[in-house]
mmCIF file of all heavy atoms in Angstrom:
data_model
loop_
_atom_site.group_PDB
_atom_site.id
_atom_site.type_symbol
_atom_site.label_atom_id
_atom_site.label_comp_id
_atom_site.label_asym_id
_atom_site.label_seq_id
_atom_site.Cartn_x
_atom_site.Cartn_y
_atom_site.Cartn_z
ATOM 1 N N HIS A 24 106.657 95.241 151.114
ATOM 2 C CA HIS A 24 106.833 96.213 152.201
ATOM 3 C C HIS A 24 108.198 96.099 152.883
ATOM 4 O O HIS A 24 108.753 97.100 153.334
ATOM 5 C CB HIS A 24 105.712 96.078 153.237
ATOM 6 C CG HIS A 24 104.394 96.535 152.710
ATOM 7 N ND1 HIS A 24 104.141 97.834 152.350
ATOM 8 C CD2 HIS A 24 103.245 95.860 152.457
ATOM 9 C CE1 HIS A 24 102.909 97.949 151.910
ATOM 10 N NE2 HIS A 24 102.335 96.762 151.955
ATOM 11 N N THR A 25 108.733 94.916 152.929
ATOM 12 C CA THR A 25 110.026 94.707 153.571
ATOM 13 C C THR A 25 111.182 95.255 152.732
ATOM 14 O O THR A 25 112.130 95.817 153.273
ATOM 15 C CB THR A 25 110.263 93.199 153.833
ATOM 16 O OG1 THR A 25 109.169 92.695 154.608
ATOM 17 C CG2 THR A 25 111.567 92.949 154.557
ATOM 18 N N HIS A 26 111.092 95.124 151.402
ATOM 19 C CA HIS A 26 112.258 95.416 150.571
ATOM 20 C C HIS A 26 112.096 96.610 149.624
ATOM 21 O O HIS A 26 113.066 96.998 148.967
ATOM 22 C CB HIS A 26 112.631 94.171 149.761
ATOM 23 C CG HIS A 26 112.986 93.016 150.629
ATOM 24 N ND1 HIS A 26 114.160 92.949 151.343
ATOM 25 C CD2 HIS A 26 112.297 91.891 150.939
ATOM 26 C CE1 HIS A 26 114.201 91.831 152.037
ATOM 27 N NE2 HIS A 26 113.070 91.164 151.809
ATOM 28 N N TYR A 27 110.924 97.179 149.542
ATOM 29 C CA TYR A 27 110.693 98.271 148.589
ATOM 30 C C TYR A 27 111.688 99.416 148.781
ATOM 31 O O TYR A 27 112.299 99.886 147.821
ATOM 32 C CB TYR A 27 109.259 98.805 148.696
ATOM 33 C CG TYR A 27 109.012 99.949 147.738
ATOM 34 C CD1 TYR A 27 108.595 99.690 146.443
ATOM 35 C CD2 TYR A 27 109.233 101.271 148.117
ATOM 36 C CE1 TYR A 27 108.387 100.724 145.550
ATOM 37 C CE2 TYR A 27 109.034 102.308 147.225
ATOM 38 C CZ TYR A 27 108.611 102.030 145.947
ATOM 39 O OH TYR A 27 108.421 103.060 145.058
ATOM 40 N N GLU A 28 111.840 99.873 149.999
ATOM 41 C CA GLU A 28 112.683 101.049 150.270
ATOM 42 C C GLU A 28 114.135 100.822 149.836
ATOM 43 O O GLU A 28 114.744 101.681 149.192
ATOM 44 C CB GLU A 28 112.612 101.420 151.751
ATOM 45 C CG GLU A 28 113.195 102.773 152.065
ATOM 46 C CD GLU A 28 112.484 103.926 151.353
ATOM 47 O OE1 GLU A 28 111.252 103.886 151.210
ATOM 48 O OE2 GLU A 28 113.188 104.872 150.941
ATOM 49 N N ALA A 29 114.687 99.667 150.167
ATOM 50 C CA ALA A 29 116.082 99.371 149.786
ATOM 51 C C ALA A 29 116.218 99.271 148.269
ATOM 52 O O ALA A 29 117.201 99.768 147.690
ATOM 53 C CB ALA A 29 116.549 98.077 150.446
ATOM 54 N N MET A 30 115.225 98.670 147.634
ATOM 55 C CA MET A 30 115.261 98.546 146.172
ATOM 56 C C MET A 30 115.147 99.925 145.521
ATOM 57 O O MET A 30 115.867 100.228 144.563
ATOM 58 C CB MET A 30 114.146 97.621 145.685
ATOM 59 C CG MET A 30 114.336 96.179 146.101
ATOM 60 S SD MET A 30 112.893 95.161 145.738
ATOM 61 C CE MET A 30 112.943 95.130 143.949
ATOM 62 N N TYR A 31 114.266 100.749 146.048
ATOM 63 C CA TYR A 31 114.095 102.094 145.512
ATOM 64 C C TYR A 31 115.393 102.899 145.659
ATOM 65 O O TYR A 31 115.822 103.571 144.719
ATOM 66 C CB TYR A 31 112.937 102.822 146.220
ATOM 67 C CG TYR A 31 112.880 104.277 145.840
ATOM 68 C CD1 TYR A 31 112.319 104.672 144.629
ATOM 69 C CD2 TYR A 31 113.411 105.252 146.674
ATOM 70 C CE1 TYR A 31 112.296 106.002 144.258
ATOM 71 C CE2 TYR A 31 113.388 106.579 146.312
ATOM 72 C CZ TYR A 31 112.837 106.958 145.113
ATOM 73 O OH TYR A 31 112.819 108.275 144.733
ATOM 74 N N ARG A 32 116.020 102.828 146.824
ATOM 75 C CA ARG A 32 117.270 103.565 147.036
ATOM 76 C C ARG A 32 118.339 103.129 146.042
ATOM 77 O O ARG A 32 119.036 103.957 145.462
ATOM 78 C CB ARG A 32 117.768 103.375 148.476
ATOM 79 C CG ARG A 32 117.101 104.282 149.478
ATOM 80 C CD ARG A 32 117.838 104.306 150.820
ATOM 81 N NE ARG A 32 118.170 103.006 151.359
ATOM 82 C CZ ARG A 32 117.379 102.298 152.170
ATOM 83 N NH1 ARG A 32 116.222 102.775 152.548
ATOM 84 N NH2 ARG A 32 117.761 101.123 152.611
ATOM 85 N N GLN A 33 118.448 101.818 145.823
ATOM 86 C CA GLN A 33 119.457 101.337 144.880
ATOM 87 C C GLN A 33 119.123 101.817 143.465
ATOM 88 O O GLN A 33 120.007 102.239 142.726
ATOM 89 C CB GLN A 33 119.571 99.814 144.890
ATOM 90 C CG GLN A 33 120.654 99.337 143.946
ATOM 91 C CD GLN A 33 121.002 97.878 144.114
ATOM 92 O OE1 GLN A 33 120.480 97.200 144.971
ATOM 93 N NE2 GLN A 33 121.899 97.402 143.290
ATOM 94 N N ALA A 34 117.862 101.765 143.101
ATOM 95 C CA ALA A 34 117.458 102.225 141.775
ATOM 96 C C ALA A 34 117.755 103.717 141.610
ATOM 97 O O ALA A 34 118.262 104.151 140.571
ATOM 98 C CB ALA A 34 115.977 101.947 141.546
ATOM 99 N N PHE A 35 117.478 104.495 142.644
ATOM 100 C CA PHE A 35 117.716 105.932 142.561
ATOM 101 C C PHE A 35 119.215 106.236 142.434
ATOM 102 O O PHE A 35 119.610 107.134 141.697
ATOM 103 C CB PHE A 35 117.132 106.658 143.781
ATOM 104 C CG PHE A 35 117.230 108.144 143.658
ATOM 105 C CD1 PHE A 35 116.332 108.841 142.855
ATOM 106 C CD2 PHE A 35 118.225 108.853 144.324
ATOM 107 C CE1 PHE A 35 116.430 110.214 142.717
ATOM 108 C CE2 PHE A 35 118.321 110.224 144.191
ATOM 109 C CZ PHE A 35 117.423 110.906 143.382
ATOM 110 N N ILE A 36 120.037 105.474 143.137
ATOM 111 C CA ILE A 36 121.486 105.660 143.031
ATOM 112 C C ILE A 36 121.942 105.426 141.592
ATOM 113 O O ILE A 36 122.789 106.156 141.071
ATOM 114 C CB ILE A 36 122.228 104.716 144.004
ATOM 115 C CG1 ILE A 36 122.041 105.209 145.441
ATOM 116 C CG2 ILE A 36 123.717 104.612 143.663
ATOM 117 C CD1 ILE A 36 122.483 104.212 146.507
ATOM 118 N N LEU A 37 121.371 104.445 140.938
ATOM 119 C CA LEU A 37 121.771 104.118 139.566
ATOM 120 C C LEU A 37 121.127 105.023 138.521
ATOM 121 O O LEU A 37 121.757 105.371 137.525
ATOM 122 C CB LEU A 37 121.440 102.655 139.266
ATOM 123 C CG LEU A 37 122.245 101.626 140.051
ATOM 124 C CD1 LEU A 37 121.655 100.239 139.885
ATOM 125 C CD2 LEU A 37 123.702 101.643 139.616
ATOM 126 N N LEU A 38 119.868 105.397 138.730
ATOM 127 C CA LEU A 38 119.120 106.124 137.695
ATOM 128 C C LEU A 38 119.047 107.642 137.914
ATOM 129 O O LEU A 38 118.772 108.381 136.978
ATOM 130 C CB LEU A 38 117.701 105.565 137.589
ATOM 131 C CG LEU A 38 117.592 104.088 137.231
ATOM 132 C CD1 LEU A 38 116.143 103.633 137.305
ATOM 133 C CD2 LEU A 38 118.181 103.835 135.844
ATOM 134 N N HIS A 39 119.215 108.076 139.143
ATOM 135 C CA HIS A 39 119.147 109.511 139.480
ATOM 136 C C HIS A 39 117.813 110.144 139.085
ATOM 137 O O HIS A 39 117.771 111.309 138.693
ATOM 138 C CB HIS A 39 120.299 110.291 138.831
ATOM 139 C CG HIS A 39 121.634 109.723 139.114
ATOM 140 N ND1 HIS A 39 122.247 109.834 140.340
ATOM 141 C CD2 HIS A 39 122.481 108.993 138.334
ATOM 142 C CE1 HIS A 39 123.414 109.226 140.303
ATOM 143 N NE2 HIS A 39 123.582 108.704 139.112
ATOM 144 N N ASP A 40 116.749 109.380 139.169
ATOM 145 C CA ASP A 40 115.419 109.890 138.805
ATOM 146 C C ASP A 40 114.380 109.184 139.667
ATOM 147 O O ASP A 40 114.297 107.960 139.645
ATOM 148 C CB ASP A 40 115.162 109.631 137.318
ATOM 149 C CG ASP A 40 113.849 110.187 136.852
ATOM 150 O OD1 ASP A 40 112.806 109.533 137.106
ATOM 151 O OD2 ASP A 40 113.841 111.265 136.234
ATOM 152 N N MET A 41 113.596 109.966 140.394
ATOM 153 C CA MET A 41 112.634 109.380 141.334
ATOM 154 C C MET A 41 111.568 108.546 140.622
ATOM 155 O O MET A 41 111.301 107.412 141.024
ATOM 156 C CB MET A 41 111.968 110.490 142.157
ATOM 157 C CG MET A 41 112.910 111.148 143.145
ATOM 158 S SD MET A 41 112.278 112.641 143.955
ATOM 159 C CE MET A 41 110.620 112.237 144.342
ATOM 160 N N GLU A 42 110.944 109.107 139.596
ATOM 161 C CA GLU A 42 109.876 108.395 138.885
ATOM 162 C C GLU A 42 110.395 107.125 138.213
ATOM 163 O O GLU A 42 109.772 106.070 138.295
ATOM 164 C CB GLU A 42 109.228 109.303 137.826
ATOM 165 C CG GLU A 42 108.289 110.320 138.386
ATOM 166 C CD GLU A 42 107.092 109.683 139.085
ATOM 167 O OE1 GLU A 42 106.483 108.752 138.535
ATOM 168 O OE2 GLU A 42 106.787 110.131 140.201
ATOM 169 N N GLU A 43 111.523 107.254 137.563
ATOM 170 C CA GLU A 43 112.100 106.098 136.886
ATOM 171 C C GLU A 43 112.481 105.013 137.888
ATOM 172 O O GLU A 43 112.330 103.825 137.607
ATOM 173 C CB GLU A 43 113.321 106.554 136.085
ATOM 174 C CG GLU A 43 113.554 105.768 134.841
ATOM 175 C CD GLU A 43 114.548 106.430 133.924
ATOM 176 O OE1 GLU A 43 115.463 107.143 134.408
ATOM 177 O OE2 GLU A 43 114.415 106.222 132.723
ATOM 178 N N SER A 44 112.951 105.425 139.050
ATOM 179 C CA SER A 44 113.321 104.468 140.098
ATOM 180 C C SER A 44 112.085 103.726 140.603
ATOM 181 O O SER A 44 112.104 102.510 140.773
ATOM 182 C CB SER A 44 114.011 105.184 141.255
ATOM 183 O OG SER A 44 115.199 105.789 140.810
ATOM 184 N N ARG A 45 111.005 104.476 140.842
ATOM 185 C CA ARG A 45 109.749 103.830 141.271
ATOM 186 C C ARG A 45 109.255 102.854 140.200
ATOM 187 O O ARG A 45 108.815 101.748 140.517
ATOM 188 C CB ARG A 45 108.677 104.883 141.534
ATOM 189 C CG ARG A 45 108.833 105.568 142.841
ATOM 190 C CD ARG A 45 107.623 106.457 143.144
ATOM 191 N NE ARG A 45 108.116 107.584 143.876
ATOM 192 C CZ ARG A 45 108.065 108.853 143.494
ATOM 193 N NH1 ARG A 45 107.481 109.179 142.378
ATOM 194 N NH2 ARG A 45 108.567 109.799 144.235
ATOM 195 N N ASP A 46 109.323 103.285 138.947
ATOM 196 C CA ASP A 46 108.882 102.417 137.854
ATOM 197 C C ASP A 46 109.723 101.142 137.780
ATOM 198 O O ASP A 46 109.194 100.053 137.539
ATOM 199 C CB ASP A 46 108.946 103.149 136.513
ATOM 200 C CG ASP A 46 107.898 104.227 136.386
ATOM 201 O OD1 ASP A 46 106.945 104.255 137.198
ATOM 202 O OD2 ASP A 46 108.022 105.071 135.459
ATOM 203 N N ALA A 47 111.021 101.284 137.968
ATOM 204 C CA ALA A 47 111.914 100.114 137.905
ATOM 205 C C ALA A 47 111.556 99.111 139.001
ATOM 206 O O ALA A 47 111.466 97.908 138.734
ATOM 207 C CB ALA A 47 113.376 100.554 138.034
ATOM 208 N N VAL A 48 111.332 99.601 140.211
ATOM 209 C CA VAL A 48 110.968 98.707 141.317
ATOM 210 C C VAL A 48 109.614 98.055 141.031
ATOM 211 O O VAL A 48 109.447 96.844 141.212
ATOM 212 C CB VAL A 48 110.950 99.462 142.670
ATOM 213 C CG1 VAL A 48 110.433 98.562 143.780
ATOM 214 C CG2 VAL A 48 112.340 99.984 143.013
ATOM 215 N N SER A 49 108.685 98.847 140.532
ATOM 216 C CA SER A 49 107.363 98.291 140.192
ATOM 217 C C SER A 49 107.473 97.220 139.116
ATOM 218 O O SER A 49 106.788 96.196 139.186
ATOM 219 C CB SER A 49 106.437 99.406 139.710
ATOM 220 O OG SER A 49 106.165 100.289 140.759
ATOM 221 N N ASP A 50 108.330 97.454 138.131
ATOM 222 C CA ASP A 50 108.519 96.460 137.065
ATOM 223 C C ASP A 50 109.065 95.149 137.623
ATOM 224 O O ASP A 50 108.639 94.066 137.214
ATOM 225 C CB ASP A 50 109.459 96.986 135.978
ATOM 226 C CG ASP A 50 108.830 98.067 135.122
ATOM 227 O OD1 ASP A 50 107.588 98.222 135.169
ATOM 228 O OD2 ASP A 50 109.584 98.760 134.411
ATOM 229 N N VAL A 51 110.015 95.237 138.544
ATOM 230 C CA VAL A 51 110.582 94.023 139.141
ATOM 231 C C VAL A 51 109.489 93.258 139.888
ATOM 232 O O VAL A 51 109.324 92.047 139.711
ATOM 233 C CB VAL A 51 111.770 94.348 140.073
ATOM 234 C CG1 VAL A 51 112.157 93.136 140.915
ATOM 235 C CG2 VAL A 51 112.960 94.839 139.262
ATOM 236 N N PHE A 52 108.723 93.962 140.718
ATOM 237 C CA PHE A 52 107.664 93.284 141.473
ATOM 238 C C PHE A 52 106.572 92.754 140.542
ATOM 239 O O PHE A 52 106.017 91.683 140.769
ATOM 240 C CB PHE A 52 107.075 94.196 142.547
ATOM 241 C CG PHE A 52 107.892 94.211 143.803
ATOM 242 C CD1 PHE A 52 108.581 95.349 144.180
ATOM 243 C CD2 PHE A 52 107.986 93.085 144.605
ATOM 244 C CE1 PHE A 52 109.350 95.365 145.337
ATOM 245 C CE2 PHE A 52 108.750 93.081 145.763
ATOM 246 C CZ PHE A 52 109.432 94.230 146.134
ATOM 247 N N SER A 53 106.296 93.469 139.478
ATOM 248 C CA SER A 53 105.298 93.006 138.511
ATOM 249 C C SER A 53 105.738 91.690 137.863
ATOM 250 O O SER A 53 104.948 90.756 137.718
ATOM 251 C CB SER A 53 105.090 94.080 137.443
ATOM 252 O OG SER A 53 104.221 93.621 136.453
ATOM 253 N N ARG A 54 107.015 91.628 137.489
ATOM 254 C CA ARG A 54 107.521 90.390 136.896
ATOM 255 C C ARG A 54 107.507 89.244 137.897
ATOM 256 O O ARG A 54 107.219 88.104 137.535
ATOM 257 C CB ARG A 54 108.923 90.592 136.336
ATOM 258 C CG ARG A 54 108.858 91.036 134.879
ATOM 259 C CD ARG A 54 110.197 91.044 134.203
ATOM 260 N NE ARG A 54 110.758 92.378 134.446
ATOM 261 C CZ ARG A 54 111.933 92.600 134.973
ATOM 262 N NH1 ARG A 54 112.730 91.624 135.292
ATOM 263 N NH2 ARG A 54 112.357 93.824 135.178
ATOM 264 N N LEU A 55 107.810 89.553 139.148
ATOM 265 C CA LEU A 55 107.764 88.511 140.181
ATOM 266 C C LEU A 55 106.336 88.012 140.387
ATOM 267 O O LEU A 55 106.110 86.831 140.634
ATOM 268 C CB LEU A 55 108.331 89.026 141.494
ATOM 269 C CG LEU A 55 109.836 89.146 141.582
ATOM 270 C CD1 LEU A 55 110.241 89.809 142.890
ATOM 271 C CD2 LEU A 55 110.498 87.787 141.449
ATOM 272 N N TRP A 56 105.373 88.911 140.308
ATOM 273 C CA TRP A 56 103.975 88.520 140.473
ATOM 274 C C TRP A 56 103.528 87.648 139.296
ATOM 275 O O TRP A 56 102.871 86.637 139.476
ATOM 276 C CB TRP A 56 103.082 89.747 140.575
ATOM 277 C CG TRP A 56 101.646 89.392 140.737
ATOM 278 C CD1 TRP A 56 100.688 89.374 139.752
ATOM 279 C CD2 TRP A 56 100.984 88.956 141.926
ATOM 280 N NE1 TRP A 56 99.487 88.971 140.267
ATOM 281 C CE2 TRP A 56 99.641 88.711 141.609
ATOM 282 C CE3 TRP A 56 101.409 88.761 143.237
ATOM 283 C CZ2 TRP A 56 98.708 88.272 142.546
ATOM 284 C CZ3 TRP A 56 100.481 88.335 144.168
ATOM 285 C CH2 TRP A 56 99.152 88.092 143.816
ATOM 286 N N ASP A 57 103.921 88.047 138.071
ATOM 287 C CA ASP A 57 103.525 87.304 136.869
ATOM 288 C C ASP A 57 104.251 85.966 136.745
ATOM 289 O O ASP A 57 103.700 85.013 136.197
ATOM 290 C CB ASP A 57 103.802 88.135 135.610
ATOM 291 C CG ASP A 57 102.898 89.346 135.523
ATOM 292 O OD1 ASP A 57 101.834 89.371 136.191
ATOM 293 O OD2 ASP A 57 103.257 90.296 134.791
ATOM 294 N N ASN A 58 105.480 85.903 137.222
ATOM 295 C CA ASN A 58 106.299 84.684 137.142
ATOM 296 C C ASN A 58 106.805 84.339 138.541
ATOM 297 O O ASN A 58 107.962 84.604 138.862
ATOM 298 C CB ASN A 58 107.497 84.894 136.205
ATOM 299 C CG ASN A 58 107.067 85.340 134.841
ATOM 300 O OD1 ASN A 58 106.252 84.696 134.205
ATOM 301 N ND2 ASN A 58 107.592 86.470 134.395
ATOM 302 N N PRO A 59 105.955 83.754 139.349
ATOM 303 C CA PRO A 59 106.358 83.486 140.745
ATOM 304 C C PRO A 59 107.626 82.636 140.823
ATOM 305 O O PRO A 59 107.799 81.681 140.072
ATOM 306 C CB PRO A 59 105.171 82.722 141.321
ATOM 307 C CG PRO A 59 104.058 82.890 140.367
ATOM 308 C CD PRO A 59 104.638 83.249 139.041
ATOM 309 N N THR A 60 108.501 83.051 141.693
ATOM 310 C CA THR A 60 109.765 82.362 141.912
ATOM 311 C C THR A 60 109.869 82.050 143.400
ATOM 312 O O THR A 60 109.522 82.890 144.226
ATOM 313 C CB THR A 60 110.949 83.279 141.513
ATOM 314 O OG1 THR A 60 110.763 83.707 140.171
ATOM 315 C CG2 THR A 60 112.269 82.569 141.633
#
């Protein structure tokens, strides 16, 4: 909740696609959940 919006904005700047940006952020959080750091 703290960082989703900033991550999404950065992804959108790079990808220029809303769905792809959401997916990219979800993938990052999914990997963090599966491999806690």
Side-chain angles (χ1 to χ4, degrees):
H24 290 295
T25 304
H26 299 288
Y27 179 87
E28 193 61 37
M30 293 171 69
Y31 171 79
R32 278 194 312 270
Q33 182 168 357
F35 186 78
I36 288 168
L37 293 169
L38 300 174
H39 307 287
D40 183 281
M41 290 170 42
E42 284 297 314
E43 212 167 30
S44 298
R45 282 188 213 118
D46 290 346
V48 174
S49 294
D50 288 345
V51 168
F52 277 112
S53 175
R54 270 189 271 126
L55 284 174
W56 180 260
D57 292 340
N58 304 306
T60 305

